[in-house]
Amino acid sequence: MEEKKFENLINDLKNLRKIKAPDNFEFKLQARINNLSEKEPEIVKKNYRLVTSIAFASVLIILSVIFRPFAEDYEDPFEIQPQLREDLIAISENSNTQPLNEILNDSFKESDSNLQKGIPSSKSNLPEKLNDINSSSTDNQIEFTISKEDLNFTRPVMNDEEIKQVQILKQKLMSKKTY
Amino acid sequence: MNENDLNNLSDEELILEFQRTNNERAFNLLVKRFKNPLINYVYRFLGDYDSCVDVIQDTFVKVYRYKDRYTEVAKFSTWIYTIATNLAKTEYQRRKRVKTFSISGFGEEENNYEIKDNSFRPDKSVDSLYKEEQIQKALLKVKIVYREPVILRDIQGMTYEEIADILNIEVGTVKSRINRGRKRLQKLLKNVYKD
């Protein structure tokens, strides 16, 4: 019933001219096929899937050899600790060189004794209180934990006369500023 | 197997012969049988002769290369029409992106050239040629999703089941798309046809 509605249209579509291939169609087609055969080696054509799977497996093997993630001696490059540069570390002129942690411990002890004597420890760059400092060395690696309170390296100890002199100097400076 | 024996084989038997023995005469016979119907189909789809020849050449190259992919489950004509349809759609999308066109409806050459047609009779009226041109122009204005089934049904004379296999849709969808395609064509050709 639907087709009756379009009867004329369907008839005209059926009776449209039949378009045909050009005369040299088969000749050109053969040339293309011959060209195709020359480019592809036979073994690749026949064993395409085998070749691609072998290639993929080879890539996996090569990557696993290079990276070796499960080897015992494998070092994750993101977790390797930086090596200390020994040429920058102050080493004593003693022929018997002390390990670094011992040097630091000695320095800490020295600054402790200076503090008790009331000698300004400005010469030293090390913190006075070492309660929060822990040092441990393993293979030239030293770890420190420093608290905020110990960051004030220079804390001079002054007597009363020195304090008075400092006050006078401050007043003079303040008066100069006002002018 | 000699030429006469090959001529008596069906399309399916020819492609199986080609698969089994690499007999290129079987392949050439398939080319001879299908080149004209495919050219006609793709020309009505694309509207450009040069492009449609390229598409059909590509179709046969694919059949040659991937002959082992054909299985007896489907008809050979369904298989080759599916390949041609997909390549024609690819060409259509490519041309749409590039937006190339030729002034001549037959190609990019300056001169129109005659498409060989042994069925053309000199006593045909000019009116029918004009009508044919109008129909082809209208066909190209119909969306491809409706154009394809109309061409396969009304020009190529295929069954609904064959069209469903080629386009990979249900038979019901084929019928509805053909109906919509015809309606659209009739609307575009309202000066030629009356409701």
Side-chain angles (χ1 to χ4, degrees), chain A residues 105-121:
Chain A
N105 283 336
D106 289 345
S107 305
F108 294 155
K109 282 176 189 170
E110 195 186 321
S111 68
D112 261 346
S113 64
N114 284 342
L115 191 67
Q116 283 168 7
K117 288 174 189 174
I119 295 167
S121 61

Side-chain angles (χ1 to χ4, degrees), chain A residues 21-22 25 28-29 32, chain B residues 38-39 42-43 46 48-62 83-84 87-88 91 94-95 108 113:
Chain A
F25 182 86
K28 279 190 175 177
L29 177 63
R32 283 184 72 169
Chain B
L38 286 173
I39 289 250
V42 175
Y43 175 77
L46 287 176
D48 179 59
Y49 188 73
D50 285 340
S51 302
C52 87
V53 171
D54 283 340
V55 164
I56 302 308
Q57 292 259 339
D58 287 342
T59 303
F60 283 115
V61 167
K62 280 202 177 233
I83 297 171
L87 288 172
E91 175 62 17
R94 189 195 70 80
R95 293 174 79 204
E108 305 228 342
Y113 58 87

Side-chain angles (χ1 to χ4, degrees), chain A residues 12 17 20 26 32 40, chain B residues 44 49 58 65 117 193:
Chain A
D12 282 341
R17 252 187 326 160
K20 292 191 178 172
E26 273 134 314
R32 283 184 72 169
E40 274 187 5
Chain B
R44 295 296 171 199
Y49 188 73
D58 287 342
R65 275 181 86 177
D117 178 17
Y193 301 109

Side-chain angles (χ1 to χ4, degrees), chain A residues 35 39 45 54 103 128 130 147 168 173:
Chain A
N35 199 25
K39 278 181 187 175
K45 265 195 293 187
I54 287 171
I103 293 168
E128 291 174 7
L130 301 173
S147 67
I168 293 163
L173 275 170

Side-chain angles (χ1 to χ4, degrees), chain A residues 2-3 6 9-10 12 14 16-23 25-26 29 32-33 36 40, chain B residues 27 35-36 40 43-44 49 57-58 64-65 116-117 131-132 154-155 160 179 182 186 193:
Chain A
E2 283 285 338
E3 296 215 347
F6 304 109
L9 173 65
I10 294 169
D12 282 341
K14 265 188 194 153
L16 281 174
R17 252 187 326 160
K18 300 296 178 198
I19 307 300
K20 292 191 178 172
D23 291 336
F25 182 86
E26 273 134 314
L29 177 63
R32 283 184 72 169
I33 288 169
L36 198 73
E40 274 187 5
Chain B
F27 174 73
K35 65 176 181 178
N36 289 333
N40 189 55
Y43 175 77
R44 295 296 171 199
Y49 188 73
Q57 292 259 339
D58 287 342
Y64 186 91
R65 275 181 86 177
K116 190 176 174 182
D117 178 17
K131 202 188 210 178
E132 196 176 293
D154 296 334
I155 298 177
Y160 292 121
N179 198 41
R182 284 171 180 166
Q186 196 146 49
Y193 301 109

